[in-house]
Amino acid sequence: MPQPTPRHEPNLALHIEDLTVAYNDKPVLWDIDINVPPGVLAAIIGPNGAGKSTLIKAVLGLLKPSAGHIYLHGEPYAKQRRRVGYVPQRSSVDWDFPTTALDVVTMGLYGQLGWLRRPGRAARTKALSALEQVGMADYAERQISQLSGGQQQRVFLARALVQDAQVYFMDEPMAGVDATTERVIIGLLKKLREQGKTVIVVHHDLQTVATYFDFLLLLNVRLIAQGKTSEVYTAENLRAAYGGQIALLQTAQIPQTPPTVAETV
Amino acid sequence: MLEALLTNPSVVVPLVGALVGVASSLVGTFLVLRGSSLLADAISHSVLLGIVLVYLVTGDQYSPFFIAGAAAVGLLTVFLTELLTRSGRVKADAAIGLVYPFLFAIAVVLINVFARNVHIDTDAVLLGEIGFSWLDTVSVGGVEVPNALMTLGAVTLLNALFVGLFYKELKLATFDPGLAAALGFSPVLLYYLLLGLTSVTAVTAFDAVGAVLLVAFIIVPPSAAYLLTDTLWKTLALGVGIAVASSLLGYLAAIWLNVSIGGTMAVCTGVFLVAAFLFGPRYGLVAQRAQRRRQQGENAARTLVVHLYNHESKEEAGRENSVSALRQHLRWDDAKVSQVTAVGREQGLITLGPKRERLFLTDAGRRLAREVWEPWRRE
Ligand SMILES: Nc1ncnc2c1ncn2[C@@H]1O[C@H](COP(=O)(O)OP(=O)(O)O)[C@@H](O)[C@H]1O
Ligand SMILES: [Mg+2]
């Protein structure tokens, strides 16, 4: 009889221990320990090249770690595929690919369909309603290269929504988008959190991070800090994560002591 | 009756060309979309090594092992290329350029050393002998059927099955390999299957069209189709259509001009590509030119309404909102002034004063000006 593998840290949405990830034997993430409780809206922040995208890819099994383990709600990713949603960096795909917005959103359902089964009418309805949620219903039949950057990003978000996941990973969904798109996206992220889902987002904008997110992971090759925004969003931690680059930012905006978390927007 | 058709060169030859074209453009579409066209080039050359090695080992000119040999060498090409690329010292395209001439050269040397007296000659290797494709036949249920039709028919069917069954998976793996892997579809496996089938197609089509022409069939019809449409299945369908049409037209042209059949077929695919490049409905040069001209016209009309809007409620309105101000302040020449005012009136954006000098905005013109100025209001 096959032994049921024991669940590991089932009360955490994401549990990572001693994770080291390398490209061509050159580690870009060293010995990372992360614990994200369920139901938070978490941001991964850190400078360019800190390994934020690499971390997400390792969680989703796209890169094989050279050490460490990763569990989602107590199970390894391979067992949790259907409960994990993914929004890759927008620049990671070719937007000249001959396909429509609706078709891209439908791709989010391929996992539930499995091999060989074709998306049918139900899939179409689901995809259309996801497009509606991101305010893109009018663009369903548009070729994707005809969309603006913000609209493309919303299509990606709609694709993740149809995955109907428990934990979401999103790589810079708000990079280079217009104000309308940013509002739509942050509204949706908060709605997902209200539904009890865990949303983990690579975020690039230190000005908005404290107002948008209630949990932070500060990363720069190693993990600098993690925890509630109110506890870890400090000048000291940011300086440790960003090093000299912090001088470029408006230091006045960053509190010396933990701020009271303003639930705005 | 059937036998008469199947031994008639003017039926068999274009049919062979069409089968090569359909089989090639089915796999070619995904290679082109993936940005791996060069790999098709590499595979269609290096399968020669597979053919030669299998021939030397079995001494047979028709053997099922050719398929295995070709697939093995095709995948070896890809593997060596990725090995070089992964070393970090050679770029991907350079790696391809290093690997396949090397494998091709080994094949040519082997032919020269061990197989001088075989019908593999260099012309045939590069261009094939589609004109003779009806000569070698096998008996199927008492009917003599050209070998080429049998093997190419089988490969076309195989490729069509692969693309038909795994359409959804291929689409996802080509567009977003990351998500494909995350969802549990193995994009690497699909990619290697695709390259394996490309190798099998190459070896099967080798006798008919040779290494160089085959590349035209794999890359050109899908590239032309890509310029003509915006959905994947139409790209596939148009690619197949262009390949079939090129075979038929190429055959007719070759007979008429008394030149190489394979060559004219390849030229025809090129003609389709150029036509798509020039006259494609959205990405074609002509359409883009027209689009740009329309855009320029629209921008001029917008410049005009914004100018009028800017000044209409101020005291200088009499001076600024006039035809002469367009000449003196906007520095438009007479032709442009009369053209833009004509367009503006046609679209109901402006009206002209009694002396044909003052310019007035209509409500629609005002609305457009506000939209131009404050685009966020539109949402
Ligand atoms: N495919 C790759 N091969 C080799 N090195 C890579 C690859 N992708 C990323 N890197 C390197 O890994 C480091 C982390 O990259 P990444 O995770 O993309 O950072 P971030 O998303 O935080 O900007 C960088 O130094 C980058 O150059
Ligand atoms: Mg990144």
Side-chain angles (χ1 to χ4, degrees):
Chain A
M1 241 177 61
Q3 287 280 313
T5 45
R7 283 156 62 78
H8 181 58
E9 299 286 359
N11 297 326
L12 289 170
L14 174 66
H15 166 70
I16 298 179
E17 214 169 310
D18 301 331
L19 178 75
T20 295
V21 186
Y23 292 106
N24 308 320
D25 305 322
K26 184 177 157 278
V28 296
L29 285 176
W30 279 109
D31 202 37
I32 305 278
D33 295 319
I34 286 175
N35 292 304
V36 179
V40 297
L41 182 45
I44 305 174
I45 59 175
N48 279 335
K52 305 181 293 293
S53 301
T54 303
L55 176 68
I56 289 190
K57 286 180 189 161
V59 172
L60 292 160
L62 306 179
L63 295 169
K64 201 170 148 23
S66 34
H69 60 248
I70 303 170
Y71 283 77
L72 294 145
H73 284 290
E75 307 267 10
Y77 176 74
K79 286 201 171 171
Q80 295 284 40
R81 272 185 216 289
R82 302 286 163 267
R83 298 176 67 198
V84 178
Y86 177 34
V87 179
Q89 247 167 310
R90 182 160 56 90
S91 57
S92 68
V93 306
D94 172 16
W95 289 93
D96 285 325
F97 193 86
T99 191
T100 60
L102 183 66
D103 201 37
V104 171
V105 177
T106 312
M107 289 177 189
L109 293 161
Y110 286 8
Q112 295 155 41
L113 289 166
W115 287 90
L116 299 177
R117 254 175 63 206
R118 295 287 180 82
R121 184 166 308 214
R124 190 187 157 83
T125 315
K126 272 189 207 164
L128 274 174
S129 104
L131 273 174
E132 206 166 291
Q133 284 185 60
V134 299
M136 289 285 295
D138 293 344
Y139 299 86
E141 300 298 339
R142 267 297 166 91
Q143 207 274 331
I144 53 175
S145 69
Q146 310 274 310
L147 302 172
S148 72
Q151 291 170 331
Q152 291 173 344
Q153 193 65 64
R154 282 191 258 169
V155 168
F156 255 16
L157 199 72
R159 187 177 73 173
L161 289 180
V162 299
Q163 286 189 267
D164 192 20
Q166 204 54 43
V167 187
Y168 282 96
F169 292 90
M170 308 188 179
D171 203 342
E172 307 222 15
M174 287 180 263
V177 303
D178 50 289
T180 316
T181 299
E182 182 154 338
R183 251 189 337 266
V184 170
I185 292 177
I186 195 65
L188 272 166
L189 298 189
K190 294 195 167 178
K191 210 155 89 193
L192 288 172
R193 175 179 57 190
E194 275 164 30
Q195 294 165 5
K197 309 192 167 194
T198 312
V199 186
I200 300 173
V201 179
V202 174
H203 194 65
H204 64 287
D205 182 6
L206 284 180
Q207 311 296 327
T208 50
V209 73
T211 50
Y212 287 172
F213 299 95
D214 55 12
F215 197 93
L216 291 186
L217 300 161
L218 272 76
L219 194 71
N220 191 356
V221 184
R222 64 199 170 87
L223 188 77
I224 307 290
Q226 64 178 322
K228 288 196 186 115
T229 304
S230 54
E231 282 157 18
V232 300
Y233 188 69
T234 64
E236 195 184 339
N237 280 339
L238 290 170
R239 211 172 289 124
Y242 284 82
Q245 297 174 43
I246 200 76
L248 300 173
L249 304 157
Q250 281 178 287
T251 32
Q253 295 249 344
I254 297 154
Q256 294 299 315
T257 49
T260 50
V261 179
E263 275 296 338
T264 52
V265 184
Chain B
M1 166 59 192
L2 186 61
E3 184 147 343
L5 275 181
L6 290 179
T7 49
N8 181 350
S10 55
V11 173
V12 174
V13 174
L15 196 53
V16 165
L19 287 174
V20 171
V22 173
S24 306
S25 59
L26 283 175
V27 287
T29 301
F30 292 99
L31 291 175
V32 167
L33 289 176
R34 214 181 161 281
S36 308
S37 313
L38 210 53
L39 216 44
D41 200 3
I43 288 175
S44 66
H45 280 85
S46 58
V47 286
L48 180 64
L49 181 60
I51 295 173
V52 173
L53 288 177
V54 171
Y55 174 76
L56 290 178
V57 172
T58 65
D60 204 346
Q61 276 193 33
Y62 293 100
S63 142
F65 292 116
F66 280 122
I67 304 286
V73 175
L75 296 183
L76 177 71
T77 310
V78 180
F79 175 75
L80 288 178
T81 304
E82 293 195 343
L83 202 68
L84 277 179
T85 313
R86 211 161 324 131
S87 77
R89 310 212 170 261
V90 189
K91 290 227 164 66
D93 56 346
I96 295 173
L98 286 172
V99 169
Y100 85 81
F102 176 65
L103 298 179
F104 190 70
I106 295 178
V108 171
V109 169
L110 287 177
I111 293 174
N112 282 329
V113 173
F114 294 108
R116 275 180 201 286
N117 48 353
V118 192
H119 87 271
I120 310 180
D121 66 84
T122 355
D123 267 1
V125 161
L126 292 178
L127 306 174
E129 289 174 335
I130 195 168
F132 300 140
S133 56
W134 55 282
L135 279 175
D136 288 316
T137 59
V138 288
S139 169
V140 181
V143 183
E144 288 295 313
V145 183
N147 258 324
L149 280 187
M150 296 294 295
T151 53
L152 283 168
V155 168
T156 305
L157 199 65
L158 189 65
N159 289 0
L161 267 177
F162 176 66
V163 170
L165 282 177
F166 298 112
Y167 179 74
K168 156 177 133 260
E169 289 78 5
L170 282 167
K171 176 162 62 175
L172 178 59
T174 309
F175 174 63
D176 192 343
L179 183 71
L183 293 180
F185 301 104
S186 173
V188 176
L189 177 68
L190 283 167
Y191 181 49
Y192 274 87
L193 276 174
L194 183 70
L195 293 171
L197 283 177
T198 308
S199 310
V200 170
T201 309
V203 70
T204 319
F206 209 89
D207 273 348
V209 296
V212 174
L213 293 187
L214 182 64
V215 182
F217 275 110
I218 296 180
I219 299 174
V220 182
S223 303
Y226 175 69
L227 292 171
L228 294 174
T229 174
D230 279 341
T231 46
L232 179 57
W233 74 266
K234 285 185 195 157
T235 310
L236 280 163
L238 276 171
V240 164
I242 288 170
V244 171
S246 299
S247 304
L248 303 182
L249 295 175
Y251 179 71
L252 294 176
I255 298 301
W256 181 45
L257 298 169
N258 193 19
V259 291
S260 148
I261 299 169
T264 46
M265 286 178 175
V267 167
C268 281
T269 63
V271 170
F272 277 106
L273 181 64
V274 171
F277 181 74
L278 290 178
F279 307 114
R282 190 175 289 157
Y283 310 107
L285 221 54
V286 174
Q288 298 248 317
R289 188 70 61 80
Q291 158 92 21
R292 204 166 319 132
R293 201 162 312 129
R294 203 160 39 233
Q295 191 75 43
Q296 278 166 3
E298 259 169 41
N299 281 345
R302 286 173 180 206
T303 309
L304 175 61
V305 294
V306 167
H307 174 79
L308 298 179
Y309 185 67
N310 197 8
H311 296 288
E312 72 174 356
S313 55
K314 302 188 186 134
E315 48 189 286
E316 76 271 12
R319 248 179 310 118
E320 285 290 344
N321 292 6
S322 66
V323 172
S324 50
L326 299 186
R327 293 200 188 92
Q328 285 154 21
H329 297 177
L330 301 192
R331 296 290 162 94
W332 285 352
D333 59 32
D334 287 347
K336 180 147 190 184
V337 167
S338 54
Q339 190 220 339
V340 176
T341 46
V343 168
R345 288 172 68 193
E346 230 169 76
Q347 298 185 349
L349 301 173
I350 59 166
T351 54
L352 220 51
K355 285 192 216 135
R356 307 189 68 77
E357 167 63 12
R358 279 292 303 271
L359 296 163
F360 298 99
L361 277 176
T362 63
D363 279 344
R366 236 164 256 131
R367 244 191 333 270
L368 177 63
R370 274 197 296 271
E371 250 179 41
V372 172
W373 261 13
E374 301 175 339
W376 54 89
R377 285 256 173 105
R378 241 182 308 175
E379 304 220 36

